[in-house]
Each structure stands twice: as C-alpha cells, then as structure tokens.
Amino acid sequence: MDAPLLSIIVPAYNIVPYLPRCIRSITAQTYGNLEILLVNDGSTDGTDVLCDELAREDARIRVFHKENGGSSSARNLALKYARGQYVGFVDSDDYVEPYMYEGLLEGIRKFGAPVAQMGRDEINQDGKRLPNICEPPDRPILIEKEEFLKELLLHRGDCSFCTKLVRRDLFPQEGFPQGELNEDFHLLVKMLSGIDALVSLPQQAYHVFYRVGSNSRKEDKADFSRVYGDSVKNADRVMELVKREYPSLEKVAFRFGIYQRLEYLLHIPVGQMCNRNRMYCEIVKYMRENWIRSMGNPILTVKNKVYHTLFAIAPKMLRKAHAGWRKVKISPGGDSGGENIRSKEAVDEKAE
C-alpha cells in the first residue's frame, strides 16, 4: 500500500520545558513515513540549542532557525520546505497520541477526502482536563463543506489546523495570514472553496496544554488580546463569503458576527471604551444599527439578545457591571460562553 510522506510542522518559541514531550510524541507515531519541520522562531531561552539536540535523536527532524516573527511566519517558512503530500501542525507545548497520523491518513483514504481531523482535549498545568470546546462525533463521518462552515459559525466546529491532516496543495502560496490572530479560522474558511468535504474522526488524539501565564489565559484587566478584534474582522470576512457562496447560511453568519462583537465588548477593558478607540466605536455603531435584525434572528439566544440590547443602550455601564458578574461566570453564549476564543492563537501574540 502507498505510504505518502507526511510533513508535521512545529513552530517553537521560548518553550524549553515542553518541547521534548511535543517532539517525542510525534517521533513515536505508529506511522513512520513522516518528516518533522521544527522552526525555532527567534527564541532567547535556549530553545534554539534544544531544537538541534532533538534533531540529533531522529533523522526525520529538520530544524530551521529564523528571527522572531510569530507562529504564522514560522508555519509559512516550514510550508515552503515541506516535502510531504499531506501536512499537519502541532503547537510546541502540546502533544499527540501515537496513533494520530496513522488514523488521520486512514480516514483520508477510506472516505476519499483531502482533509481529516480528530478530536482534541484541553489540559491545564495542574493536569486537569477542561470542558471540551468542540465535541467529537461518536463515529467517523464525512462533512460537506457547507455543513462544516455552518458548524464553525455556530461555534461547534473545530477550526484548528493542529487537529487536522491536510493535502499540501490546498494551501495558498501566501500561507497563513501574518500580523493577525485567529489565523487558523481565517485560512481554513478561505481554503474551503477547494475542499468538497472533510472527514471527522471521534478519537481525541490531540492534547492542548494550557500554561499558566500564557496570553490566552491572562486575567490582567489591562491585557486585551488582539484575538477579539481579529475575530470580529474574520466575522465580517465570512459574512461576505457567505453572501457570495453560501446564501442559505446568512442568518447563521449574522449570528456569528453578533456573537464575536459581544465577545469583544465583554472583554475590552473599560478604559479602552472611548471615542479614540475606532474599532470600539464601529462595533457599538454596528450593534445599534443591527438591533432590529438581531431581535428577529432565530439562532441568537435570548441571552444573546439581552446582551445586545444592553450594549446598544449603555455599553460602558454594562461593561462595568459585567466586571462584577464575571465572578459567577455570566457569558453571552449560555452554553459555550466565550470559550471558543480559549485557544492557542493568543499565546503567540507577544511573539508577533
């Protein structure tokens, strides 16, 4: 049976304590015909030396050293040198089960799809498993692209490239967008036009590890990750795409845009809610102008609509009140709240 080469890309930035576990989980794969492209993204803590040491353990590891530019630039560099027919990604503090890539390739072969994904779980630094962001299916399924996009817009789908094996020729020449967070969502939606369907497998073979102090987990009130603003930009892009190619999803896409704006307004520090903040002003204006449309949207929940109404009337007052309510974990989504933005995308923000 044909055994295509797989290229597994790992960007690494100041990650000495966790990088060995990540890389050794890939070299231990039951599928052996793979290469690991390990990119040191301008680390200053000895990660550069560690990358070279790990490469000496396994000839399949190829190391690249570059100036710091963020996760997307590191991924894009590796994509230029990847030789595999299929490409996967692993974040350098995460790790994978030994069967992951053999299982993904088997799913691709069985269903004849260009992309396969497995489930993931989320583990904190204390070893506690966090609630699932995306629930895996109970059996292997083939998801057509329009249905997959719908699941993404309802915050039920998985936009991460780390859980996937993707045919390399599907990636655009420019690769991942640089200078933005929420880049996986951006690129995956863009690539959907070349993907008729993808395979979703039930195993949770990818383990996301959250470190205390990483940008995605900060509680500092003065810290406001760019991921919230970039998610709003992506919502606007996907609305334009839906209007052109998936008109049946327009109500779903509108709900997505409202939801992302609620997330922005619920996380922005009160001090940044001012006339000098152009994006904040534009979001408030959008919420006011689209209030009637939101009230008539059957997909938005009652809680979504209440938050929308209050933010349209008195955004700063509500935000101040919400700072106290956070202790009881009130959120606009009801079920998923804002937790779909609990992602590794923000971790690389200070490295961009």
Side-chain angles (χ1 to χ4, degrees):
M1 182 179 290
D2 179 41
L5 178 67
L6 311 184
S7 296
I8 313 302
I9 294 173
V10 183
Y13 175 74
N14 287 356
I15 197 69
V16 166
Y18 306 106
L19 186 59
R21 178 182 64 180
C22 171
I23 296 301
R24 288 167 186 157
S25 76
I26 304 172
T27 59
Q29 290 294 299
T30 56
Y31 186 86
N33 191 24
L34 54 82
E35 62 173 3
I36 302 168
L37 290 83
L38 179 53
V39 184
N40 166 47
D41 187 35
S43 299
T44 58
D45 70 338
T47 294
D48 54 345
V49 175
L50 179 57
C51 288
D52 292 331
E53 291 175 355
L54 290 168
R56 287 193 285 271
E57 294 182 5
D58 195 308
R60 295 173 298 174
I61 301 174
R62 302 163 62 199
V63 176
F64 302 86
H65 297 281
K66 61 180 289 296
E67 293 182 359
N68 179 248
S71 179
S72 288
S73 68
R75 285 176 164 186
N76 290 342
L77 174 67
L79 279 171
K80 292 179 181 179
Y81 291 97
R83 299 179 295 214
Q85 184 178 346
Y86 295 92
V87 180
F89 300 87
V90 181
D91 284 345
S92 53
D93 48 0
D94 298 340
Y95 57 101
V96 297
E97 290 294 326
Y99 60 81
M100 178 168 170
Y101 289 108
E102 183 174 19
L104 288 170
L105 186 58
E106 182 180 347
I108 286 172
R109 285 169 166 163
K110 181 177 179 180
F111 287 89
V115 180
Q117 69 177 20
M118 280 190 177
R120 71 189 192 202
D121 59 21
E122 323 277 327
I123 302 169
N124 68 16
Q125 193 158 304
D126 296 325
K128 181 181 177 182
R129 182 169 171 173
L130 303 172
N132 288 337
I133 291 180
C134 306
E135 292 295 337
D138 57 8
R139 57 183 175 80
I141 57 173
L142 187 68
I143 309 175
E144 294 186 357
K145 63 180 177 182
E146 185 164 337
E147 181 63 23
F148 182 73
L149 178 58
K150 180 179 179 180
E151 291 298 295
L152 289 181
L153 297 181
L154 290 173
H155 293 97
R156 297 194 297 243
D158 185 1
C159 68
S160 173
F161 276 89
C162 289
T163 56
K164 297 173 177 60
L165 192 62
V166 183
R167 205 175 65 208
R168 188 181 56 161
D169 64 343
L170 291 173
F171 287 92
Q173 186 174 2
E174 63 273 18
F176 289 85
Q178 297 184 177
E180 290 190 22
L181 300 178
N182 201 221
E183 65 272 21
D184 280 22
F185 179 88
H186 182 156
L187 181 58
L188 186 59
V189 169
K190 182 178 181 179
M191 289 170 60
L192 279 179
S193 60
I195 303 171
D196 291 332
L198 58 80
V199 181
S200 185
L201 304 173
Q203 300 93 333
Q204 289 183 289
Y206 190 94
H207 305 296
V208 178
F209 181 66
Y210 285 93
R211 294 174 284 127
V212 173
S214 68
N215 284 3
S216 61
R217 306 297 292 172
K218 282 182 181 176
E219 295 296 333
D220 184 350
K221 293 181 181 179
D223 181 76
F224 182 49
S225 173
R226 288 186 295 113
V227 71
Y228 295 104
D230 288 346
S231 294
V232 171
K233 294 176 185 177
N234 278 335
D236 290 341
R237 292 182 185 119
V238 80
M239 174 58 85
E240 293 304 312
L241 174 69
V242 163
K243 287 178 179 178
R244 293 193 310 268
E245 300 184 24
Y246 310 98
S248 66
L249 298 182
E250 191 162 342
K251 289 182 179 179
V252 179
F254 175 76
R255 175 262 178 203
F256 183 75
I258 293 295
Y259 191 97
Q260 299 307 97
R261 286 172 169 83
L262 288 175
E263 285 297 312
Y264 178 97
L265 291 169
L266 283 166
H267 288 86
I268 183 173
V270 174
Q272 295 185 32
M273 301 175 78
C274 59
N275 291 335
R276 296 188 305 276
N277 188 334
R278 181 178 176 182
M279 185 165 200
Y280 163 73
C281 293
E282 289 177 350
I283 286 175
V284 171
K285 180 182 178 182
Y286 182 95
M287 299 297 275
R288 289 171 176 167
E289 290 178 346
N290 286 276
W291 180 81
I292 293 177
R293 186 180 179 188
S294 178
M295 297 304 106
N297 187 289
I299 306 172
L300 285 162
T301 66
V302 172
K303 185 177 285 189
N304 294 154
K305 293 176 182 179
V306 169
Y307 269 82
H308 187 161
T309 300
L310 295 175
F311 270 122
I313 296 171
K316 187 175 290 189
M317 184 179 300
L318 177 59
R319 187 64 185 84
K320 289 178 180 178
H322 187 266
W325 300 344
R326 288 183 68 185
K327 295 179 181 179
V328 293
K329 298 183 180 179
I330 293 177
S331 60
D335 48 4
S336 63
E339 287 302 290
N340 267 69
I341 298 183
R342 186 183 80 214
S343 72
K344 301 305 279 295
E345 294 159 339
V347 172
D348 298 299
E349 180 173 2
K350 65 183 177 183
E352 291 283 358

